[in-house]
Amino acid sequence: MNIDDLRTRLPAGAVVNDPDILAGYRQDRALDPAAGTALALVRPTDTAHVATALRWAGEHRVPVVPRGAGTGLSGGATAQNGALLLSTERMRAITIDTVTRTAVVQPGLLNAEVKRAAADRGLWYPPDPSSFEICSIGGNAATNAGGLCCVKYGVTTDYVLGMEVVLADGTVVRLGGPRLKDSAGLSLTKLFVGSEGTLGVITELTLRLLPPQPPQSTVVATFRTLPAATAAILAITGALRPSMLEFMDAVAINAVEDELRMGLDRDAAGLLIARSDAPGDHAGREADRMLTACENAGATEAFRTDDPDEGEAFCAARRFAIPAVERKGPLLLEDVGVPLPRLGELITGIAEIAERRKVVVSVIAHAGDGNTHPLIVHDPDDADETARAHEAFGEIMDLAVALGGTITGEHGVGRLKKAWLPGQVGPEVMDVTRRIKAALDPHGILNPGVVL
Amino acid sequence: MNIDDLRTRLPAGAVVNDPDILAGYRQDRALDPAAGTALALVRPTDTAHVATALRWAGEHRVPVVPRGAGTGLSGGATAQNGALLLSTERMRAITIDTVTRTAVVQPGLLNAEVKRAAADRGLWYPPDPSSFEICSIGGNAATNAGGLCCVKYGVTTDYVLGMEVVLADGTVVRLGGPRLKDSAGLSLTKLFVGSEGTLGVITELTLRLLPPQPPQSTVVATFRTLPAATAAILAITGALRPSMLEFMDAVAINAVEDELRMGLDRDAAGLLIARSDAPGDHAGREADRMLTACENAGATEAFRTDDPDEGEAFCAARRFAIPAVERKGPLLLEDVGVPLPRLGELITGIAEIAERRKVVVSVIAHAGDGNTHPLIVHDPDDADETARAHEAFGEIMDLAVALGGTITGEHGVGRLKKAWLPGQVGPEVMDVTRRIKAALDPHGILNPGVVL
């Protein structure tokens, strides 16, 4: 395929096929070894360029792999042989309307940049993936990303009021808008959120913002056993509204402690970080109830801090858990979730799988959501261990599905988990998915091989 | 069409074609005079019956009009000649899981019944259409219904975690579930919410519940001019998170006062009811800031009450506004919304339309959402006035669209507003809508004539 024709339709520099540059866009953070070699990379600066690229791709039946900041963990932005990579990284405009409390953002802005722009105007954009400093807001919408505050504040879709999206044939469509209620027609905005680039390329988002989050009170508790930690989680979620409720297991605690030397209890089976952002002294009171719940569940140590820096240090430790465990070896990163009452069974079941497959699996979790990230450590040079790690990877998803759960709570299906999707949702839902995909992308050029 | 074949496939009594009974199901609260005569009414008690009815309808290409409690205001449940009416009113099971804080409900339960069942277990289902005592939860999901608390707590879709839905061909599909985060596959759950019976029949919902709402502090303020009232609204939404922010204009104030004799200021141009449910004494503090905002905007009278009965009396007065105005004459009921900064232009523009068309239009509003309900009073025996009322009806929607708004914030498009939908969303979105409709209901048997 000759891309000169596309090059002439777009501004100078928008189309790149230098192999060295393309190499940097071959994978996302899933590091899929099956990544291919793209035909070219397009870095549009506006919606019209995206439409031009998609029209060209449609005419020539060239597959398109849309891409935000490349921090995806499910291989949704992995390069394919002969595909056009479409990176939105140069689309970075943002405007904020403080009266409607909305932001209109282009997809290439990082989540942290949206948060900062909102904060500069006295507002707050809640969704906070652990990767918020490096992940793009467009990718957040494409995967319906979650984060730590979602236990109280919901996930990305809850903040998307509208969008501009370019369809497979290059048609530019505006959906929703800065209206806090709108039931005119089908809920298409919500359909495109989480569609992982398979239905269209999001070129603009209208996001709902909130007043600033009140100061949080933080509880940290350690437990000698996993059931004690799980009991504390359910006691908290059943009675209170934590603004964060995070879990780390022994492997993660030790990996973080190895790096940060915070004085975490290396003998603990699990550590919980719970926060309240109720106004004024109610944060402290709600945190005290969380503290009591932890103590009643048998915490070996539990304390509350209202010091923002100290609270943030524990949250940062939790966010650092994935990189810390990653220093032990490459990871297969899971994202399984279950209904909260099944959380204990999920965590003990994962331990059984790890033992049977003789691999290290560290479990960290957005515990209040029932959303866990089992991290399977393996040595890629050890073919046998790698095989066992992949067995465990599939078994953990099977376990989550058997417990009424999901194979992905917030990362998306991508390429790495699609083999497990039919097992979770069933053939009828797969059929509906295929019908909608065919209706909106009849030639299948948008991110083929992702989800379906 | 002979329905005996359908009758034999369903339990005794599930299929009715007694004209007297059918007459009670001819219209919803939109009272569409164009309602037709249905072939029969089906009142299933379980999902299998719904599937049977839809399979039969599909085989015979009989249109199906799904129906909850018949309280819709856009004509989405209006009987059509030769159609099968499918009422979910007998599907009334509910189970509540206090640990996951979810309810699994069948669609025929009333919103108030869901609220009460949740409250019995110490939980809260927030969405609260004014009709919550008489509207069904299935209808709420089908229209993505809103209400008064939505300014802080969001609309129905924000609480729907999963559903069972029967497709046009009778296939039963389960989407989502009691998982607080789930990004596995397309966001189909959200697509069916608000689809007004055009894509499937919802037979079960999994709803997210919250801990009980804290006691609310209430502010009531009256204004001599509409711009003063609007200024107070924007001052409140720009800085605070009201748990309710409602508006009534002079016509509504007087209509309510005629009925309830509460001592409302009959000379006021507008009345605001604002509430805070921040924990403990923070409700009072936030309410005081709302009070100050009203005073600064020029309120002629403004007071705060923390007495729950007194606060509820004002909310009840607001909910009673539509029936009160209706006693002045039959209504054409609008549901237009705009981005908040345009609210003042919408309200003054409606007054101009009323004057030009010589009809009484009363405006009540979920002001904090920018969602208004202009009520056009007319005498159906006066053909000229009725014609002018219908002119105003269309002009108000045109005005909302011109202001960047929506023709429906929470009632749905139904049959009455569909002529205005393309003007709001544009031909490309209509095309996407038609493609999805065709993909999921290729023979077009589900609620034909609604939305599309």
Side-chain angles (χ1 to χ4, degrees):
Chain A
M1 182 61 56
N2 189 318
I3 59 160
D4 290 344
D5 175 41
L6 175 61
R7 220 187 277 274
T8 62
R9 299 195 206 175
L10 289 172
V15 181
V16 175
N17 60 346
D18 176 333
D20 291 342
I21 296 177
L22 286 187
Y25 291 80
R26 243 185 110 229
Q27 296 176 312
D28 54 22
R29 279 179 72 210
L31 299 177
D32 185 352
T37 303
L39 178 68
L41 165 70
V42 181
R43 289 183 290 201
T45 48
D46 70 23
T47 301
H49 302 164
V50 176
T52 299
L54 287 183
R55 266 196 306 273
W56 180 88
E59 285 164 18
H60 297 88
R61 301 288 192 269
V62 171
V64 176
V65 178
R67 183 181 177 95
T71 61
L73 293 161
S74 302
T78 308
Q80 301 299 297
N81 288 330
L84 203 62
L85 293 174
L86 196 160
S87 168
T88 58
E89 71 198 284
R90 293 183 173 177
M91 300 180 70
R92 295 178 41 78
I94 180 166
T95 57
I96 288 180
D97 169 5
T98 57
V99 175
T100 321
R101 286 212 289 251
T102 51
V104 176
V105 305
Q106 284 189 315
L109 226 61
L110 302 182
N111 175 298
E113 293 173 320
V114 175
K115 280 187 192 301
R116 276 196 287 272
D120 286 346
R121 305 295 299 275
L123 292 167
W124 178 40
Y125 175 69
D128 57 350
S130 290
S131 58
F132 75 102
E133 295 280 8
I134 54 170
C135 62
S136 75
I137 195 74
N140 289 179
T143 56
N144 192 16
L148 283 66
C149 75
C150 305
V151 61
K152 181 165 182 176
Y153 290 97
V155 293
T156 303
T157 193
D158 299 312
Y159 294 86
V160 180
L161 293 174
M163 64 171 66
E164 178 188 75
V165 62
V166 183
L167 303 181
D169 63 1
T171 306
V172 180
V173 171
R174 295 199 76 89
L175 303 171
R179 297 176 288 274
L180 303 183
K181 277 183 190 160
D182 190 350
S183 62
L186 296 180
S187 302
L188 299 175
T189 306
K190 301 285 190 189
L191 176 65
F192 280 90
V193 176
S195 63
E196 302 191 42
T198 65
L199 301 182
V201 177
I202 297 168
T203 48
E204 186 187 283
L205 291 159
T206 301
L207 301 173
R208 185 172 194 173
L209 304 175
L210 295 184
Q213 185 174 31
Q216 298 184 78
S217 185
T218 305
V219 169
V220 179
T222 49
F223 298 85
R224 192 63 68 223
T225 68
L226 292 174
T230 308
I233 292 163
L234 299 191
I236 291 169
T237 59
L240 302 165
R241 283 197 84 191
S243 51
M244 195 179 115
L245 182 51
E246 295 289 318
F247 168 83
M248 293 198 281
D249 74 358
V251 175
I253 293 168
N254 279 280
V256 168
E257 187 61 18
D258 286 348
E259 302 291 333
L260 300 184
R261 313 272 170 207
M262 296 178 72
L264 302 179
D265 178 1
R266 287 180 175 277
D267 295 328
L271 179 145
L272 287 187
I273 308 169
R275 305 186 94 179
S276 170
D277 66 356
D281 54 5
H282 287 270
R285 285 189 219 165
E286 194 176 34
D288 278 343
R289 293 181 64 190
M290 296 174 186
L291 189 71
T292 304
C294 291
E295 287 168 349
N296 290 345
T300 47
E301 200 184 348
F303 66 94
R304 165 190 149 196
T305 176
D306 293 347
D307 180 75
D309 293 337
E310 192 179 14
E312 185 47 41
F314 282 99
C315 297
R318 161 60 192 87
R319 281 193 210 96
F320 187 62
I322 295 181
V325 175
E326 205 161 19
R327 298 197 185 173
K328 311 295 173 195
L331 303 179
L332 292 177
L333 206 151
E334 302 261 16
D335 179 36
V336 293
V338 288
L340 276 170
R342 315 304 293 269
L343 186 61
E345 289 166 85
L346 178 69
I347 292 175
T348 53
I350 290 168
E352 286 163 18
I353 291 168
E355 197 176 318
R356 190 168 67 245
R357 294 296 175 189
K358 297 187 177 54
V359 286
V360 173
V361 181
S362 174
V363 176
I364 59 178
H366 306 304
D369 285 328
N371 178 208
T372 72
H373 296 312
L375 312 173
I376 309 172
V377 187
H378 68 105
D379 175 359
D381 296 331
D382 180 337
D384 184 63
E385 186 176 87
T386 300
R388 284 183 277 112
H390 280 93
E391 292 286 347
F393 185 72
E395 287 170 357
I396 288 171
M397 284 189 275
D398 292 341
L399 172 64
V401 169
L403 294 172
T406 178
I407 60 172
T408 175
E410 55 181 11
H411 295 169
V413 173
R415 295 172 187 284
L416 298 192
K417 294 169 192 158
K418 70 173 170 170
W420 287 269
L421 184 62
Q424 176 182 335
V425 302
E428 297 84 3
V429 172
M430 293 306 295
D431 181 55
V432 171
T433 304
R434 274 187 291 267
R435 283 197 259 166
I436 289 174
K437 170 74 172 172
L440 295 187
D441 179 19
H443 304 304
I445 65 160
L446 283 170
N447 228 2
V450 166
V451 181
L452 286 168
Chain B
M1 182 61 54
N2 189 318
I3 58 159
D4 290 342
D5 175 41
L6 176 61
R7 218 187 279 275
T8 61
R9 298 194 206 177
L10 290 172
V15 182
V16 175
N17 61 347
D18 176 333
D20 290 342
I21 296 178
L22 287 187
Y25 290 79
R26 244 184 110 230
Q27 295 175 312
D28 55 22
R29 279 179 70 211
L31 301 176
D32 185 352
T37 302
L39 178 67
L41 165 70
V42 181
R43 288 182 291 200
T45 49
D46 69 24
T47 300
H49 301 165
V50 176
T52 299
L54 287 183
R55 267 195 305 274
W56 180 88
E59 286 164 17
H60 297 88
R61 302 285 192 271
V62 170
V64 176
V65 178
R67 184 182 176 94
T71 60
L73 293 162
S74 301
T78 308
Q80 301 298 298
N81 288 330
L84 203 61
L85 292 174
L86 196 160
S87 168
T88 58
E89 70 199 286
R90 292 182 175 178
M91 300 181 72
R92 295 179 41 77
I94 181 167
T95 56
I96 288 180
D97 169 4
T98 57
V99 176
T100 321
R101 287 211 289 251
T102 50
V104 175
V105 305
Q106 285 189 317
L109 225 62
L110 303 182
N111 175 298
E113 294 173 319
V114 174
K115 280 187 192 299
R116 276 195 286 272
D120 287 346
R121 305 296 299 274
L123 292 168
W124 178 40
Y125 175 70
D128 57 348
S130 290
S131 58
F132 75 102
E133 295 279 9
I134 54 170
C135 63
S136 75
I137 196 75
N140 289 180
T143 55
N144 192 17
L148 282 67
C149 75
C150 304
V151 61
K152 181 166 184 177
Y153 288 97
V155 295
T156 303
T157 193
D158 299 311
Y159 293 86
V160 180
L161 294 174
M163 65 171 65
E164 181 188 72
V165 61
V166 184
L167 303 181
D169 64 0
T171 306
V172 179
V173 171
R174 295 200 75 89
L175 303 171
R179 297 175 291 273
L180 303 183
K181 276 183 191 160
D182 191 348
S183 61
L186 296 180
S187 302
L188 299 174
T189 306
K190 301 285 189 190
L191 176 65
F192 280 90
V193 175
S195 63
E196 302 192 41
T198 65
L199 301 181
V201 177
I202 297 167
T203 49
E204 187 186 282
L205 291 159
T206 301
L207 301 173
R208 186 171 194 173
L209 305 175
L210 295 184
Q213 185 174 32
Q216 297 184 82
S217 185
T218 305
V219 168
V220 180
T222 48
F223 298 85
R224 192 64 67 226
T225 68
L226 292 174
T230 308
I233 293 164
L234 299 191
I236 291 170
T237 59
L240 302 165
R241 281 197 86 188
S243 51
M244 194 179 116
L245 182 51
E246 296 287 319
F247 168 82
M248 294 197 282
D249 73 357
V251 176
I253 293 167
N254 280 280
V256 169
E257 187 61 20
D258 287 348
E259 301 291 332
L260 300 184
R261 314 269 169 208
M262 295 178 70
L264 302 180
D265 177 2
R266 288 181 175 275
D267 295 327
L271 178 145
L272 288 188
I273 308 169
R275 305 185 93 178
S276 169
D277 66 356
D281 55 3
H282 288 270
R285 287 188 218 166
E286 193 175 35
D288 278 343
R289 293 181 64 191
M290 296 173 184
L291 190 70
T292 303
C294 291
E295 288 167 349
N296 289 346
T300 47
E301 198 184 350
F303 66 94
R304 166 189 148 195
T305 176
D306 294 346
D307 180 76
D309 293 338
E310 194 179 13
E312 186 47 43
F314 281 99
C315 297
R318 162 57 192 87
R319 281 194 211 96
F320 188 63
I322 295 181
V325 174
E326 204 161 20
R327 298 200 184 171
K328 312 293 172 194
L331 303 180
L332 291 178
L333 205 150
E334 302 261 16
D335 178 37
V336 293
V338 287
L340 276 170
R342 316 302 294 269
L343 186 62
E345 289 166 85
L346 179 69
I347 291 175
T348 53
I350 291 168
E352 286 163 18
I353 291 169
E355 196 177 320
R356 188 168 69 245
R357 292 298 175 187
K358 296 185 177 57
V359 286
V360 173
V361 182
S362 174
V363 176
I364 59 177
H366 306 305
D369 286 326
N371 178 208
T372 71
H373 295 311
L375 313 172
I376 308 172
V377 187
H378 67 105
D379 175 358
D381 295 331
D382 180 338
D384 184 63
E385 186 176 86
T386 299
R388 284 183 279 112
H390 280 93
E391 293 285 348
F393 184 72
E395 286 170 357
I396 289 171
M397 283 189 276
D398 292 340
L399 171 64
V401 170
L403 293 171
T406 178
I407 60 172
T408 175
E410 57 180 11
H411 295 169
V413 173
R415 295 172 187 283
L416 297 192
K417 293 169 192 159
K418 70 174 171 168
W420 286 268
L421 183 61
Q424 176 181 335
V425 301
E428 296 84 4
V429 173
M430 294 306 295
D431 181 54
V432 171
T433 303
R434 274 187 292 266
R435 283 197 260 167
I436 289 175
K437 169 73 171 174
L440 295 186
D441 180 18
H443 303 303
I445 66 162
L446 283 170
N447 228 2
V450 166
V451 181
L452 286 168

